[in-house]
Amino acid sequence: MTRTDTPPAWDERTQLTTFLGYVRATARAKCEGLSDEDARKAHLPGSPLMTLSGLINHLRWVEYFWFRVVFLGEEDQGPWTEEDPDREMRIAVDIPLSRLLTEYAEEAARHDELVAAHDLDTRAQQKRQDGSAVDLRWILLHLIEETARHNGHLDILRELTDGSTGD
């Protein structure tokens, strides 16, 4: 798959979905050629959960949360608990990287279908603390921002792991 941030059309939906696809593909590219052992390395002493595996699993579950729990109002079946709110990052080191990447891609494909089936102005089922509800557009923008931010983390971790740099 070729990564591109240039949309095939210039309408708002296509631009947003193209950018989300681009940052997702960038996250996957940061993991290309890594062994499971390398993907599990925590290079930052103050951030033991900051691993390539942990970040990929986090991105997968963040999408799940925003699309399925917040937007659709489904019951939260995520791996986190009140006692362990970062559990998705912790358990990732026990899962092969190939499985994490496959699950991330499968979840992304489900969410792409969901996005295609709803208007960008559609409000989320789950309300915010102030009683307002975000719309699908906001969720897409938020996921682009979050994934892009974590791509920076993935980039640093990859360089610390094997010296690889690049986009």
Side-chain angles (χ1 to χ4, degrees):
M1 176 175 114
T2 302
R3 284 186 303 132
T4 182
D5 61 358
T6 304
W10 295 101
D11 61 285
E12 182 181 22
R13 174 184 298 277
T14 303
Q15 289 182 57
L16 290 170
T17 57
T18 297
F19 263 95
L20 182 55
Y22 176 72
V23 294
R24 286 171 174 161
T26 300
R28 288 189 302 272
K30 297 296 176 187
C31 298
E32 286 178 1
L34 279 178
S35 68
D36 289 337
E37 180 183 338
D38 283 342
R40 295 172 177 147
K41 288 181 180 173
H43 295 282
L44 307 172
S47 300
L49 298 180
M50 187 71 71
T51 65
L52 287 135
S53 291
L55 286 168
I56 292 297
N57 206 37
H58 174 71
L59 290 172
R60 175 250 203 259
W61 285 104
V62 162
E63 283 204 22
Y64 160 85
F65 180 79
W66 280 103
F67 283 126
R68 307 247 308 268
V69 177
V70 175
F71 186 70
L72 294 178
E74 294 179 4
E75 184 179 338
D76 188 355
Q77 300 292 320
W80 38 71
T81 65
E82 284 189 33
E83 299 78 31
D84 193 358
D86 298 317
R87 186 168 177 263
E88 79 278 10
M89 295 182 82
R90 188 177 322 285
I91 65 173
V93 298
D94 296 324
I95 303 169
L97 180 61
S98 61
R99 180 174 147 201
L100 294 171
L101 291 166
T102 296
E103 289 175 357
Y104 182 35
E106 290 171 351
E107 199 75 23
R110 279 191 289 278
H111 300 147
D112 288 348
E113 290 176 10
L114 181 147
V115 169
H118 290 85
D119 187 273
L120 295 176
D121 292 324
T122 305
R123 295 287 175 170
Q125 295 295 309
Q126 189 177 96
K127 304 280 191 245
R128 296 162 50 110
Q129 287 182 347
D130 67 3
S132 67
V134 298
D135 60 18
L136 182 56
R137 174 185 296 102
W138 186 93
I139 291 171
L140 287 167
L141 287 165
H142 175 70
L143 290 171
I144 292 165
E145 176 276 326
E146 176 139 356
T147 306
R149 181 167 34 91
H150 287 311
N151 280 347
H153 299 134
L154 289 165
D155 193 41
I156 292 166
L157 291 174
R158 181 62 190 255
E159 185 173 352
L160 290 170
T161 298
D162 65 5
S164 294
T165 60
D167 60 353

